[in-house]
């Protein structure tokens, strides 16, 4: 079966909605306000990492055939452990419950009586309804193209377009001088900010949803499926880039409204300026819709993965389990969850990035699978040590780790990755055999 251009657009809309959550809303405005006159250079860097890495992640999974096929190139044990870490970290361990909490804080709390918001029951009631609806819609993954592509994504894009057009007729203010690292290296700082979105992890996780959706639509041939997955990744990336440009532009002009501590406050100030009191309502709708779409996407992808990994538990049962877990965790208090989940995310994110690039260049290294093992192994060792240092040892090892280039900037794993590449290449030359049985799609 061949897909029409219209169907490819709908799949791109679907993937975009799964990516575009509350974090994607608040990062660009804060970058814009901080970058000021250096906005476009900073946004260029931001798009390179915040859009480029997720697109490359989708393409890497598409080329390999599945995330499992990509992981097996490292080692069967790695293929068993690493996906579980990804799906738990970006699923019930952090991202799904956080989406429900943020939707409550930005989309419901401003319109409820203060006494009710402060009570423990308000968040519980909201998250039960929120995740109940998300679970209900996740029960039918084959219908996600219609839900996202034809309904939710067009609504979200239309709301953002309304905000942008309004800002053109009523300019917020002029760009001001950049602050912090945006003064000297705006593009590099933008790259680092985009890196912190960690959307490359989501790209690896969402591949299973796109692949299964294509199968449900009648695309069986693996080459066609890979091609359409790449198209979806490029389409979603283009939409993300456009939205980031709009939000960054709005943030850059918002300095006249006062400096803010985060992107959520900046957006609130912008909406109040442009639309008055109704701006709070419009922003609440945008946040709620974005968080709702991401929740559906994450519940669907995690349930499809766990139902495949543990086939004795059906997909719909996993949907219910994840919805209940996410509701419970959202009401336990995300502060404690963040203390556990964020270090785990920081540990696995460098591994995900190097895995993506190894997958993209597989044609060049497939005769030497030692490279997969040594690069992933070196980066994993660095990530584990860095996580222990920051989470358990109060940065006792930082003086030694700072010897690594770009450690302070948060990408100290580059040196271990290069060393792993060299060692893997030399091992392959010396031993002349692959230590891993490759399974191609």
């Amino acid at each position: 079966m061949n897909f029409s251009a219209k169907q490819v657009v709908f799949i791109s809309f679907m993937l975009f909605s799964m990516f575009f959550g509350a974090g994607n809303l608040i990062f660009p405005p804060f970058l814009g306000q901080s970058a000021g006159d250096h906005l476009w250079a900073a946004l260029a860097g931001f798009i390179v990492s915040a859009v480029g890495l997720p697109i490359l992640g989708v393409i890497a999974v598409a080329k390999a055939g599945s995330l499992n096929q990509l992981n097996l190139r490292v080692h069967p044990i790695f293929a068993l452990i690493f996906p579980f870490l990804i799906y738990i970290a970006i699923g019930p361990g952090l991202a799904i419950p956080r989406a429900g909490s943020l939707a409550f804080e930005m989309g419901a709390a401003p319109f409820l009586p203060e006494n009710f918001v402060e009570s423990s029951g308000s968040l519980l009631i909201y998250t039960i309804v929120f995740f109940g609806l998300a679970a209900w819609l996740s029960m039918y993954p084959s219908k996600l193209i219609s839900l996202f592509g034809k309904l939710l994504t067009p609504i979200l894009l239309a709301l953002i377009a309304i905000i942008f057009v309004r800002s053109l007729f009523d300019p917020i203010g002029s760009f001001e001088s950049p602050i912090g690292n945006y003064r000297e290296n705006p593009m590099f700082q933008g790259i680092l900010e985009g890196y912190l979105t960690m959307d490359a992890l989501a790209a690896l996780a969402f591949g299973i949803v796109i692949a299964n959706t294509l199968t449900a639509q009648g695309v069986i041939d693996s080459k066609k499926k890979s091609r359409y997955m790449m198209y979806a990744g490029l389409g979603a990336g283009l939409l993300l880039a456009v939205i980031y440009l709009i939000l960054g532009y709005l943030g850059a002009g918002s300095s006249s409204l006062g400096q803010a501590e985060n992107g959520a406050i900046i957006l609130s100030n912008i909406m109040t300026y442009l639309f008055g009191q109704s701006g709070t309502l419009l922003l609440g709708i945008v946040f709620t819709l974005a968080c709702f779409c991401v929740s559906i996407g994450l519940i669907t992808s995690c349930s499809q993965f766990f139902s495949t990994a543990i086939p004795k538990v059906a997909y719909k049962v996993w949907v219910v389990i994840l919805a209940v877990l996410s509701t419970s965790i959202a009401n336990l208090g995300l502060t404690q969850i963040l203390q556990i989940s964020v270090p785990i995310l920081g540990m696995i994110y460098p591994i995900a990035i190097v895995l993506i690039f190894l997958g993209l260049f597989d044609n060049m290294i497939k005769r030497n699978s030692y490279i997969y093992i040594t690069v992933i192994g070196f980066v994993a060792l660095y990530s584990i040590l860095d996580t222990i240092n920051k989470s358990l040892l109060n940065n006792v090892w930082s003086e030694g780790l700072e010897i690594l280039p770009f450690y302070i900037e948060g990408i100290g794993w580059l040196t271990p990755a290069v060393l792993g590449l060299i060692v893997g290449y030399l091992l392959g030359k010396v031993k002349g055999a692959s230590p891993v049985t490759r399974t191609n799609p």
Side-chain angles (χ1 to χ4, degrees):
M1 176 181 175
N2 291 317
F3 263 27
S4 66
K6 185 177 181 180
Q7 288 173 304
V8 173
V9 169
F10 285 152
I11 295 178
S12 298
F13 278 6
M14 169 182 162
L15 185 56
F16 165 81
S17 286
M18 292 164 66
F19 273 123
F20 194 74
N24 305 80
L25 267 170
I26 62 180
F27 266 107
F30 188 72
L31 175 146
Q33 187 174 90
S34 301
D37 291 333
H38 293 169
L39 170 68
W40 306 118
L43 275 176
F46 184 83
I47 289 172
V48 164
S49 54
V51 177
L53 283 176
I55 290 176
L56 294 177
V58 173
I59 292 174
V61 171
K63 287 185 65 177
S66 69
L67 178 58
N68 186 55
Q69 297 289 347
L70 184 58
N71 289 328
L72 282 172
R73 294 173 182 173
V74 183
H75 196 277
I77 295 178
F78 178 83
L80 179 66
I81 297 174
F82 188 62
F84 271 95
L85 291 176
I86 290 179
Y87 282 100
I88 290 172
I90 70 167
L94 174 62
I96 301 176
R98 183 176 64 180
S101 295
L102 286 173
F104 174 76
E105 292 176 9
M106 299 299 297
F111 311 102
L112 298 173
E114 186 175 345
N115 292 337
F116 180 69
V117 172
E118 292 177 353
S119 68
S120 58
S122 59
L123 178 60
L124 177 61
I125 294 171
Y126 182 88
T127 49
I128 288 174
V129 174
F130 183 89
F131 289 120
L133 287 172
W136 175 56
L137 293 171
S138 299
M139 289 290 182
Y140 309 97
S142 62
K143 297 182 179 180
L144 289 183
I145 288 182
S146 296
L147 177 65
F148 284 126
K150 299 179 181 179
L151 180 62
L152 297 182
T153 304
I155 293 174
L156 181 60
L157 294 175
L159 291 174
I160 295 175
I162 289 170
I163 297 169
F164 177 62
V165 171
R166 174 65 176 168
S167 72
L168 295 178
F169 286 97
D170 191 5
I172 301 170
S174 58
F175 296 1
E176 297 189 5
S177 299
I179 60 176
N181 293 331
Y182 287 102
R183 292 194 189 99
E184 301 295 331
N185 299 296
M187 181 172 287
F188 183 69
Q189 185 61 29
I191 291 173
L192 292 177
E193 292 294 335
Y195 169 82
L196 293 175
T197 64
M198 297 194 177
D199 275 346
L201 283 178
L204 294 177
F206 291 153
I208 189 173
V209 179
I210 303 300
N212 289 343
T213 301
L214 289 170
T215 301
Q217 295 294 316
V219 181
I220 306 299
D221 182 74
S222 59
K223 291 184 178 180
K224 285 185 178 180
K225 191 179 294 183
S226 295
R227 184 167 70 249
Y228 290 135
M229 286 177 67
M230 292 181 190
Y231 290 162
L234 292 170
L238 178 61
L239 284 173
L240 285 171
V242 171
I243 300 303
Y244 289 156
L245 289 170
I246 291 174
L247 294 174
Y249 169 80
L250 293 173
S254 68
S255 294
S256 60
L257 306 178
Q259 294 293 322
E261 296 179 357
N262 58 63
I265 297 174
I266 293 173
L267 281 175
S268 296
N269 293 339
I270 290 172
M271 297 301 290
T272 301
Y273 173 83
L274 293 175
F275 299 97
Q277 293 302 316
S278 60
T280 304
L281 175 61
L282 182 57
L283 183 61
I285 294 172
V286 171
F287 261 94
T288 301
L289 192 56
C291 291
F292 190 60
C293 290
V294 166
S295 295
I296 295 172
L298 288 172
I299 289 174
T300 301
S301 60
C302 290
S303 298
Q304 289 182 345
F305 168 75
F306 288 122
S307 63
T308 302
I310 309 174
K312 290 184 178 181
V313 182
Y315 168 81
K316 291 187 177 181
V317 176
W318 279 113
V319 169
V320 174
I321 291 173
L322 292 176
V324 172
L325 276 176
S326 299
T327 302
S328 302
I329 292 173
N331 284 272
L332 284 175
L334 278 176
T335 300
Q336 294 179 349
I337 302 302
L338 288 172
Q339 290 176 349
I340 299 173
S341 300
V342 170
I344 294 175
L345 282 171
M347 180 180 68
I348 65 178
Y349 196 56
I351 302 173
I353 292 176
V354 295
L355 180 64
I356 287 170
F357 279 98
L358 290 173
L360 292 171
F361 293 99
D362 182 65
N363 288 338
M364 298 173 62
I365 62 177
K366 62 184 178 182
R367 295 183 180 178
N368 182 1
S369 290
Y370 284 103
I371 290 177
Y372 276 94
I373 293 178
T374 52
V375 172
I376 295 294
F378 281 32
V379 172
L381 178 60
Y382 162 83
S383 296
I384 292 170
L385 293 175
D386 189 42
T387 301
I388 292 173
N389 175 53
K390 291 177 178 177
S391 303
L392 302 177
L393 301 181
N394 198 25
N395 293 311
V396 170
W397 295 343
S398 292
E399 186 174 347
L401 290 171
E402 286 175 5
I403 297 173
L404 297 173
F406 304 114
Y407 176 78
I408 296 176
E409 288 79 5
I411 48 177
W413 51 267
L414 283 174
T415 301
V418 173
L419 289 176
L421 181 64
I422 295 171
V423 172
Y425 175 79
L426 294 176
L427 279 174
K429 285 291 186 182
V430 171
K431 297 193 174 185
S434 172
V436 179
T437 300
R438 298 173 61 88
T439 306
N440 293 317

